[in-house]
Amino acid sequence: MVAELFKRNRGTRDVEPLGPVEYIEPVASTSEWLKEHVVPTRSGTVSYVKSLFPFLTWIYRYNWVWFVGDLIAGVTVGIVVIPQGMAYAKLASLPPEFGLYSSFVGVAIYWLSATSHVISAGPVAVFSSLLSVILEHALPQLPEYADTPWIIAGCLSVVLGCIVMAIGLFRIGFIVDFIPLPAIAAFMTGSALNIAMGQIPTLMGNNTADGYNTRAATYLVFGNFFKYIKHCDLNAAIGLTALFMLYAVRWGCGYASRRWPQHKKTFFFINTLRSGFVILLYTLISFLVNRNHRDDPKFSILKTIPRGFQHMGVPVVNSRILSAVAAKLPSAIIVLVIEHISIAKSFARLSNYTIDPNQELIAIGLTNIFGPFFGGYPATGSFSRTAIKAKAGVRTPLAGVVTAIIVVIAIYALPPVFYYISNAALAAVIIHAVGDLISSPKSIKMFWKVSPCEFVIFWIGVLVSVFASIDNGIYASVAASAALLLFRIAKAHGRFVGVVKVYNTPSLRPVDANEPDSDTRNVFVPLDRSNGVNPAVQPREPHAGVFIYRLNEGYLYPNAVHFTDHMVREIKVKTRPAVINP
């Protein structure tokens, strides 16, 4: 290839040729493309490694102002996560202490690789309920772990951590965007209903009745509750009053914040710590009632909680456990990833900062890989604790270390107190926590306004979760969303467009079309005016024999025939075969 090169003389506008210069363009090759797009450069590798540890970008600027904010937020979350962690462990069909282990690991490791300073990682209600389903499915195949189900939970945590971390390392976290908000809201709402209904028997004390399976489908648990209601006992008094107190404190603090806004911060902390206050109050009541009846308490209590990290060690990962949980892995990955990323993005928008979804997946992957070494089970971002952390004035992810210290103190210093915690009060904490996961009528109405099809997807996910199981609800909502996406791509609509001349004028005075100084531009709009164009405006069709077609979606294999058929059909209507002159 030969090109003429020119240069501009300094101080003049004259251009003089330098003469022909020969340029030979190299032939493109596969190795060249791989070197340019796949093989990393040295600078790119260094930048990538640094991005794996975002705390390096701010730790050297840490100051006392940040420390005070992190200290307040960390202590607040620590007080909240202790009762929540034990309650969620019981929800996962594990001993309560494993909730404390997971709470510690979640906040102690996550901050090292996190891009969100607000997220509080640890045990959550939805995944704990799903873990209970997974253990119920796997234990019949693994009878040797019937007394140690946490071994299966630890193996699952390592596997999930490796998969999620790989998704982040290979930068394919964008796949999360293919699951729409209605599908996420569907399985969150269905899971919340499933969890709440499953905890009501524990709240009322009839969960120990012979033949009452509280792990069955939600509708069966609801129906059988009235069948076994005669077995309710003193636990009902504890559970119902605890639940009432939780809602009363929240409503009272909300009202007081509006009535006395100058004390809004004080009422916020009272409201935030309501779970801890209620658990402490009913633990005191339990101690006074049961201190002389330790072997035969008047109502259900936790009893002995071992002091310290009693289950530290290398997690067991073998083919038998993997084959037993393999069928449930997809739903576990979806819940782990979607719950964390959706929470991280939501709070990033509220706090006006951005996150890196891939780096968040790496952080949560590392947390779950190392969690079982301390006895933890799978952890992810918690919506309730993240909201508390944000409102408490957190400044950096280092607040997680403060929370970890609080949890360690509880693990070593408070087991004698944990002995008297009421199971009914813990059930009240769970029901109160998952109530916020249920989509509000306003949100459901918005789904209908935005897209009736996605409104239907929402109800498909909820109904399947209620009448089948949480994992089936996840599969149903995701599959329905994928089917709708494929249908919209395959049946995408194109439009034939015409020209409308638009006049730009600073005033509302009539514009003379023949005025030479008029600022005009041509706009192409659908000829059928299907996009809401002023019905009084008539688009001008292109010249005879010329058609302009606008594709509303990418031209892909699934919709190529659909677009082509539409174009050919319309063109045949508006044209006629030419007559060949003899």
Side-chain angles (χ1 to χ4, degrees):
M1 180 183 293
V2 179
E4 286 286 339
L5 300 181
F6 296 88
K7 75 175 182 178
R8 190 178 302 277
N9 291 337
R10 295 182 179 177
T12 68
R13 299 181 61 85
D14 297 332
V15 176
E16 63 179 15
L18 289 177
V21 178
E22 185 175 338
Y23 170 71
I24 301 176
E25 183 176 353
V27 179
S29 65
T30 303
S31 59
E32 180 185 355
W33 185 91
L34 291 173
K35 183 178 180 180
E36 183 177 352
H37 295 89
V38 178
V39 178
T41 62
R42 181 177 180 180
S43 60
T45 302
V46 172
S47 177
Y48 176 77
V49 172
K50 286 183 177 179
S51 71
L52 298 178
F53 302 98
F55 76 93
L56 296 175
T57 62
W58 55 262
I59 192 68
Y60 61 89
R61 294 183 285 116
Y62 202 77
N63 54 61
W64 283 105
V65 175
W66 290 4
F67 174 74
V68 172
D70 290 343
L71 179 64
I72 295 172
V75 171
T76 304
V77 174
I79 296 173
V80 172
V81 76
I82 291 170
Q84 275 194 359
M86 291 189 292
Y88 292 158
K90 289 183 66 64
L91 182 61
S93 301
L94 295 174
E97 62 267 21
F98 287 90
L100 297 176
Y101 304 154
S102 295
S103 300
F104 165 76
V105 178
V107 293
I109 296 179
Y110 168 75
W111 75 275
L112 292 169
S113 302
T115 59
S116 172
H117 66 284
V118 177
I119 293 292
S120 177
V124 295
V126 175
F127 195 92
S128 296
S129 181
L130 180 61
L131 178 59
S132 176
V133 174
I134 294 173
L135 292 177
E136 186 178 8
H137 169 79
L139 283 174
Q141 307 173 52
L142 303 167
E144 65 271 26
Y145 299 117
D147 296 328
T148 55
W150 52 85
I151 293 179
I152 301 175
C155 176
L156 179 66
S157 181
V158 172
V159 174
L160 290 177
C162 291
I163 295 173
V164 172
M165 187 174 177
I167 294 174
L169 288 173
F170 288 106
R171 298 297 192 251
I172 54 177
F174 64 87
I175 59 176
V176 176
D177 297 332
F178 285 96
I179 303 179
L181 178 60
I184 297 173
F187 82 75
M188 293 294 280
T189 299
S191 299
L193 294 173
N194 183 293
I195 294 167
M197 192 62 243
Q199 290 300 305
I200 287 178
T202 304
L203 185 86
M204 302 296 291
N206 62 346
N207 58 313
T208 57
D210 293 337
Y212 192 5
N213 181 13
T214 60
R215 301 291 180 180
T218 305
Y219 78 100
L220 291 175
V221 177
F222 177 77
N224 289 332
F225 172 77
F226 297 98
K227 179 180 177 181
Y228 294 98
I229 197 170
K230 61 184 179 180
H231 296 282
C232 294
D233 53 22
L234 188 58
N235 286 283
I238 299 294
L240 289 175
T241 54
L243 185 61
F244 172 80
M245 185 173 293
L246 287 168
Y247 280 104
V249 171
R250 184 165 77 171
W251 180 86
C253 289
Y255 173 80
S257 297
R258 296 187 297 270
R259 179 68 177 81
W260 297 284
Q262 66 273 21
H263 302 295
K264 187 175 181 179
K265 198 73 173 177
T266 301
F267 292 121
F268 160 74
F269 281 106
I270 295 174
N271 185 32
T272 296
L273 302 176
R274 63 187 181 275
S275 296
F277 292 154
V278 169
I279 291 296
L280 285 175
L281 173 62
Y282 282 89
T283 300
L284 176 61
I285 294 173
S286 175
F287 170 74
L288 296 175
V289 172
N290 297 311
R291 58 180 173 176
N292 297 322
H293 309 279
R294 289 174 60 92
D295 296 330
D296 186 22
K298 298 296 183 180
F299 48 82
S300 179
I301 58 177
L302 287 184
K303 295 189 176 181
T304 303
I305 302 294
R307 188 190 303 272
F309 293 91
Q310 297 295 322
H311 299 277
M312 290 184 67
V314 178
V316 177
V317 180
N318 57 49
S319 58
R320 294 192 67 248
I321 298 178
L322 292 178
S323 62
V325 302
K328 302 292 183 179
L329 278 178
S331 60
I333 293 171
I334 291 173
V335 172
L336 199 72
V337 171
I338 292 299
E339 190 166 5
H340 185 83
I341 297 300
S342 61
I343 293 171
K345 287 185 175 181
S346 297
F347 282 91
R349 286 192 295 266
L350 291 174
S351 303
N352 196 28
Y353 68 93
T354 58
I355 65 161
D356 181 354
N358 292 306
Q359 186 59 36
E360 286 297 315
L361 294 179
I362 293 173
I364 208 67
L366 281 173
T367 301
N368 284 291
I369 290 173
F370 288 101
F373 287 87
F374 295 87
Y377 69 90
T380 188
S382 166
F383 179 84
S384 61
R385 296 194 298 274
T386 298
I388 291 170
K389 194 175 178 182
K391 292 181 180 179
V394 65
R395 295 302 186 92
T396 71
L398 202 62
V401 176
V402 179
T403 302
I405 294 172
I406 299 296
V407 175
V408 169
I409 293 173
I411 291 174
Y412 281 94
L414 298 181
V417 178
F418 295 155
Y419 184 95
Y420 291 100
I421 291 179
S422 165
N423 285 316
L426 286 179
V429 169
I430 294 174
I431 294 172
H432 182 67
V434 300
D436 294 331
L437 301 179
I438 299 175
S439 297
S440 65
K442 182 179 179 181
S443 299
I444 298 173
K445 184 179 180 181
M446 187 59 66
F447 293 153
W448 172 261
K449 288 183 176 180
V450 173
S451 173
C453 292
E454 293 183 349
F455 173 82
V456 173
I457 289 175
F458 170 82
W459 283 110
I460 288 174
V462 172
L463 293 176
V464 173
S465 297
V466 170
F467 289 95
S469 62
I470 293 176
D471 51 334
N472 287 334
I474 295 169
Y475 294 144
S477 57
V478 171
S481 299
L484 178 62
L485 175 63
L486 292 176
F487 178 81
R488 285 174 171 172
I489 293 174
K491 298 297 181 181
H493 295 288
R495 292 288 184 269
F496 286 92
V497 298
V499 181
V500 173
K501 182 176 285 188
V502 177
Y503 296 86
N504 297 327
T505 175
S507 64
L508 298 179
R509 65 177 180 82
V511 179
D512 184 2
N514 297 319
E515 186 177 347
D517 294 331
S518 297
D519 184 10
T520 64
R521 57 191 174 94
N522 291 329
V523 176
F524 292 87
V525 299
L527 293 173
D528 59 3
R529 289 167 290 188
S530 59
N531 64 340
V533 175
N534 185 351
V537 175
Q538 181 61 46
R540 176 170 53 85
E541 295 191 18
H543 297 289
V546 177
F547 297 89
I548 304 176
Y549 190 75
R550 175 181 292 162
L551 304 176
N552 294 336
E553 293 284 350
Y555 193 70
L556 307 171
Y557 284 112
N559 58 30
V561 174
H562 178 70
F563 278 135
T564 304
D565 290 345
H566 184 207
M567 286 188 285
V568 172
R569 184 170 58 252
E570 188 71 16
I571 291 172
K572 283 185 175 181
V573 171
K574 295 186 177 182
T575 59
R576 57 192 176 90
V579 178
I580 301 177
N581 293 327

